[in-house]
Amino acid sequence: MQYDQQVPRTCLVSMPWHSLARPSLALGVLRASCAREGLAVPVSYHGSLAFAEVMLQAGMTASDYAMLADIGFHHSLGEWIFAGALHGEDFGTEGMLDLARRNELPIRTALAARELAGPFVDQAADAVLATDPELVGFSATFSQTIASLAVAARIKARRPDVEILIGGYSCDGDMGEALHREYPVVDFVLRGEADRSFPQLLRAIAERRATGSVAPLNAVPKLCWRNTTTGATEISPATAPLVPPAAMTVPAYEDWFAARPPDVAARIEPELVVESSRGCWWGAKSHCTFCGLNGTAMTHRAKPAESFVDEVLKLVTQYGILDVTTIDNILPNSYYDTALPQLAAGGHDLRLHYEIKANVRADDVAALAAAGVWEVQPGIESLVDDVVKRMRKGVKSAHNVRMLRDGAAAGLVVTWNWLYGFPGEDPRDYAAVVAQLPALVHLQPPTGAARINLQRFSPNFDDPRLGFTERRPAEGARYIHAIDDDDRLARLVYSFDTPDQGLSEDEVAPLVAALATWTEGYPGSTLTARELGDVMVIRDRRAGWPALDHVLEDPAEIDAWRLLSAGRSPRALLRELAGLGHAWHPTDLSVWLRRLAAAGLVYTDGNLWISLPTGPAAVPSPAAERELLPLLTA
């Protein structure tokens, strides 16, 4: 017997702190998956948009919302804002105030938002119940869990017959089972990818209601469900393979655009959210030691290039939005030769964001720019070669510098963070790199330097041999969950506190100071190279450096300079120069490289040397050409 027409009336909910600029991919995928399966499409409630409107009405700003969404994740600051609405008005306040003081968190803004949270949770419950649901499903990714539980508790108090479902990354693995055990208000937790399992769950609920049998629930993979007699958590024994590329659902976003309050919409430029792949092909080979982002679904699966391009072009046409964020953990390697050229030929002036691997070639960077990719996150994380190796990045620090240089030459925004705190770090390695940072002032600086956190699913968490042998749930978790037992709390949370490793705060101070100088000098700094006739002209207009035009005239030096573009060791440079007919004594080459380094024109990790000028992004104007001509006769 089929129960498709009897599936529960469902409302899907996305609570703060989801981005105001982007629709929820989770809700878009789940709604579209129901449509694909021929089921009634759930209604939705976009709590992030609604709470932002409340904040604006209270005199706060969209920037306040964005700050609370982005800052203090490890310390659970965003979650704490809704903890009083879940556990009682003063819950966790004293502890969070002290934690915020010690970690310089924006507590005044958080306190103002917390004053609004309780009344808003009531408002949200009213709005959800107004849709007359039988099932309410919350998407909980990172800082959405406590707000979701607070609204769920209000719904249950008013309508005990309404069943509550929570899914999303905050429920992956053991966390989902622990959430179900700790919060009886939750009837179902659906872990992992839900393109197929969510429609299956809706059918299973319909069949259970019609027959009284729980067998359909046990057939839903990765489902936690509540025994209605004992209240105990039951775990489905069913297993299923990861969703294959052809079954990855194209999201539906009409409801999000319709729900945008005018005062919020007026302040935020919207972006579409898509995915071309899931998992991480590099992580499957060599899992970066600090990264827990892929959870239990590391296996990389990419959509066929033609399907992805068709999806993007249809979405931008449908919604009239050209800003597109891909949430992939890493761009599929094959896309450089397939999807990117097809997007470039699509005729749209796209603005795409992608996460990539840093060791891309110059022609790959050009393909990104031609396709409309304007921002990349290449996972640079450090320029210290020993630390990059400890991260298991599979690149050299010179590759990271090359990415910064080539990205700048192509006009890309290169987003990255400097991470430290790895066991075995040597201050001397940092000193050698910090001494060279002034030469990089024309390249995109990191957003800051931060000590790594210990995250569930990361090798640092799973393998004590990497040095993180002591752990306990991150302190902020105690101020959002009413759980005193560390063992119980540890099964529930993603972030953990652990004794500092690697550099001390005193040892990292020179790096922090150098990055501040870099950030300050970056605007307006340029270092470019251009061939004019038989000479190479390197124009230096960087903050902290004299305004000079360096001219290379010797054919051997020009050929050597060209080879340094991709990065070379001195030995490889000598060998390749000999193949070009240039006999260069190793001592003379060493002197030449040191002269370039003294002028800040090259970077070295101790083995590889790489040139730093970006090259012209466009043909110089006639005026610029006239300015350079005197160099040819000087």
Side-chain angles (χ1 to χ4, degrees):
M1 181 175 180
Q2 292 294 318
Y3 297 92
D4 291 8
Q5 303 307 314
Q6 304 170 29
V7 296
R9 296 186 304 275
T10 302
C11 179
L12 296 175
V13 180
S14 176
M15 292 295 289
W17 297 91
H18 187 79
S19 168
L20 298 180
R22 301 168 187 164
S24 167
L25 179 69
L27 268 58
V29 164
L30 295 183
R31 295 179 75 250
S33 67
C34 288
R36 184 190 61 211
E37 296 278 334
L39 304 180
V41 176
V43 297
S44 55
Y45 175 71
H46 296 279
S48 293
L49 296 175
F51 190 58
E53 184 177 31
V54 168
M55 291 176 65
L56 291 175
Q57 291 169 350
M60 301 181 74
T61 68
S63 295
D64 290 333
Y65 181 99
M67 177 174 63
L68 295 173
D70 293 339
I71 293 178
F73 166 69
H74 177 75
H75 302 296
S76 300
L77 181 65
E79 298 275 47
W80 171 81
I81 289 169
F82 286 91
L86 178 61
H87 301 299
E89 182 176 349
D90 295 326
F91 180 84
T93 298
E94 183 178 349
M96 182 55 74
L97 289 175
D98 180 59
L99 180 64
R101 177 188 56 77
R102 286 181 275 122
N103 291 277
E104 299 182 348
L105 302 178
I107 192 62
R108 289 184 181 274
T109 306
L111 284 167
R114 183 162 162 136
E115 288 291 320
L116 306 173
F120 171 73
V121 165
D122 287 320
Q123 172 188 319
D126 290 341
V128 171
L129 289 175
T131 69
D132 191 26
E134 297 173 294
L135 174 72
V136 178
F138 292 88
S139 172
T141 299
F142 297 130
S143 296
Q144 295 177 287
T145 305
I146 299 301
S148 298
L149 289 169
V151 175
R154 296 291 202 280
I155 291 172
K156 275 290 191 182
R158 299 174 193 178
R159 285 274 307 276
D161 59 306
V162 175
E163 294 188 290
I164 300 297
L165 162 69
I166 296 186
Y169 196 78
S170 295
C171 301
D172 200 10
D174 293 342
M175 296 186 295
E177 182 178 341
L179 181 70
H180 195 267
R181 293 187 189 279
E182 296 293 347
Y183 289 96
V185 71
V186 179
D187 298 287
F188 304 105
V189 167
L190 190 57
R191 299 171 290 169
E193 301 169 325
D195 307 58
R196 292 173 165 175
S197 59
F198 178 66
Q200 185 180 354
L201 173 60
L202 296 182
R203 292 190 175 105
I205 293 173
E207 186 172 351
R208 182 198 60 175
R209 289 179 176 179
T211 66
S213 171
V214 299
L217 296 178
N218 273 327
V220 180
K222 295 191 174 182
L223 177 67
C224 303
W225 55 278
R226 197 163 303 285
N227 186 306
T228 55
T229 301
T230 66
T233 295
E234 305 284 353
I235 309 296
S236 165
T239 59
L242 294 173
V243 175
M248 293 179 191
T249 310
V250 179
Y253 292 139
E254 301 90 348
D255 61 312
W256 183 81
F257 281 95
R260 298 174 74 214
D263 51 349
V264 175
R267 291 166 170 81
I268 301 295
E269 288 292 332
E271 305 170 9
L272 294 174
V273 183
V274 298
E275 56 179 348
S276 59
S277 65
R278 295 180 186 172
C280 180
W281 58 261
W282 175 251
K285 295 180 181 179
S286 178
H287 193 171
C288 297
T289 57
F290 61 90
C291 179
L293 288 179
N294 288 283
T296 59
M298 178 68 76
T299 302
H300 190 248
R301 295 144 287 148
K303 295 178 180 178
E306 296 77 9
S307 299
F308 174 66
V309 171
D310 183 61
E311 174 184 331
V312 170
L313 298 183
K314 284 182 177 178
L315 287 172
V316 299
T317 301
Q318 178 181 358
Y319 298 110
I321 303 295
L322 294 174
D323 288 323
V324 181
T325 292
T326 60
I327 64 160
D328 300 39
N329 289 139
I330 193 167
L331 185 147
N333 254 335
S334 62
Y335 274 27
Y336 288 105
D337 299 319
T338 56
L340 294 180
Q342 291 173 35
L343 286 171
H348 293 281
D349 187 18
L350 297 174
R351 283 168 50 88
L352 287 158
H353 164 90
Y354 244 120
E355 294 194 25
I356 65 173
K357 191 164 171 59
N359 60 343
V360 293
R361 303 166 302 184
D363 54 345
D364 295 330
V365 175
L368 289 165
V373 176
W374 74 279
E375 181 183 41
V376 292
Q377 186 172 338
I380 289 177
E381 270 96 43
S382 180
L383 300 182
V384 179
D385 214 45
D386 175 72
V387 176
V388 172
K389 183 177 180 180
R390 293 176 188 277
M391 293 178 180
R392 300 179 185 168
K393 280 288 183 179
V395 299
K396 304 284 286 182
S397 65
H399 294 135
N400 289 339
V401 172
R402 186 178 69 188
M403 176 66 241
L404 293 173
R405 183 202 66 194
D406 291 348
L412 302 182
V413 175
V414 182
T415 302
W416 62 295
N417 302 296
W418 195 303
L419 300 180
Y420 65 93
F422 294 84
E425 288 177 324
D426 190 330
R428 292 169 295 183
D429 294 329
Y430 275 81
V433 172
V434 168
Q436 297 185 80
L437 294 186
L440 309 183
V441 69
H442 61 300
L443 305 179
Q444 183 81 46
T447 56
R451 186 175 296 278
I452 58 169
N453 296 318
L454 185 60
Q455 300 175 345
R456 186 184 296 275
F457 305 122
S458 69
N460 282 342
F461 181 84
D462 292 333
D463 187 356
R465 293 174 299 178
L466 294 178
F468 295 92
T469 57
E470 300 178 43
R471 71 179 68 146
R472 62 184 307 183
E475 181 184 346
R478 295 171 176 78
Y479 312 137
I480 66 171
H481 295 290
I483 300 172
D484 294 329
D485 186 292
D486 265 7
D487 290 337
R488 288 166 51 202
L489 197 57
R491 288 189 284 270
L492 186 62
V493 303
Y494 177 77
S495 294
F496 292 79
D497 287 336
T498 184
D500 290 349
Q501 300 286 344
L503 299 189
S504 68
E505 294 307 308
D506 287 341
E507 289 169 335
V508 83
L511 171 66
V512 173
L515 295 184
T517 301
W518 183 354
T519 301
E520 181 181 1
Y522 170 65
S525 288
T526 60
L527 178 67
T528 59
R530 180 173 178 79
E531 293 190 42
L532 292 175
D534 295 329
V535 304
M536 179 75 67
V537 179
I538 305 165
R539 166 152 287 195
D540 190 350
R541 298 297 183 270
R542 293 172 294 176
W545 295 86
L548 292 175
D549 295 306
H550 305 269
V551 180
L552 302 182
E553 300 178 275
D554 184 279
E557 291 186 352
I558 293 174
D559 281 340
W561 180 262
R562 293 187 184 120
L563 291 171
L564 289 175
S565 178
R568 293 290 193 280
S569 68
R571 178 176 295 182
L573 198 57
L574 286 170
R575 183 176 63 249
E576 294 182 57
L577 286 171
L580 295 172
H582 303 301
W584 207 339
H585 192 278
T587 301
D588 294 335
L589 176 63
S590 178
V591 169
W592 183 71
L593 289 173
R594 288 199 300 271
R595 189 168 73 244
L596 294 178
L601 303 182
V602 293
Y603 175 90
T604 180
D605 60 13
N607 179 40
L608 293 177
W609 293 70
I610 187 166
S611 59
L612 293 178
T614 59
V619 176
S621 66
E625 291 279 18
R626 286 194 299 272
E627 186 180 355
L628 289 171
L629 280 175
L631 297 173
L632 301 178
T633 57

